[in-house]
Amino acid sequence: ILHRKKNGAEAKKNLLDALKIREQCLPEHHLSTAETLRMLASVCEKLGDLQDARNYYNRSIDIKEIISKANQ
């Protein structure tokens, strides 16, 4: 929501906080963590933090691939 209101820096901070909580409370490869990483990557991309965006996108994709393989 904050991201949509053009407050990218605050959105990034909140998503980093959410990511930290998810990583502490959820299993290592959880879909909610992957989705938070994807949202964080999107915010970073819009802020021009392209290296961070790439890293978060890649982590999200890695988790989703692990989940997909586990469900086969």
Side-chain angles (χ1 to χ4, degrees):
I1 294 170
L2 289 170
H3 175 58
R4 292 183 188 142
K5 293 182 179 180
K6 309 274 187 220
N7 194 343
E10 189 171 350
K12 183 176 179 180
K13 179 196 174 302
N14 289 342
L15 286 165
L16 285 168
D17 290 344
L19 178 62
K20 182 177 179 180
I21 292 167
R22 281 178 168 71
E23 289 177 331
Q24 291 173 350
C25 298
L26 297 173
E28 183 178 1
H29 302 110
H30 195 279
L31 189 56
S32 292
T33 303
E35 184 59 18
T36 301
L37 286 162
R38 186 202 58 76
M39 290 187 293
L40 186 53
S42 178
V43 169
C44 288
E45 184 176 1
K46 292 196 185 322
L47 290 172
D49 300 335
L50 300 182
Q51 187 62 46
D52 284 347
R54 177 177 293 163
N55 290 336
Y56 292 130
Y57 277 129
N58 286 338
R59 286 180 59 197
S60 177
I61 291 167
D62 289 346
I63 290 171
K64 289 178 182 181
E65 286 177 349
I66 289 167
I67 292 169
S68 177
K69 288 177 185 176
N71 290 330
Q72 291 180 353

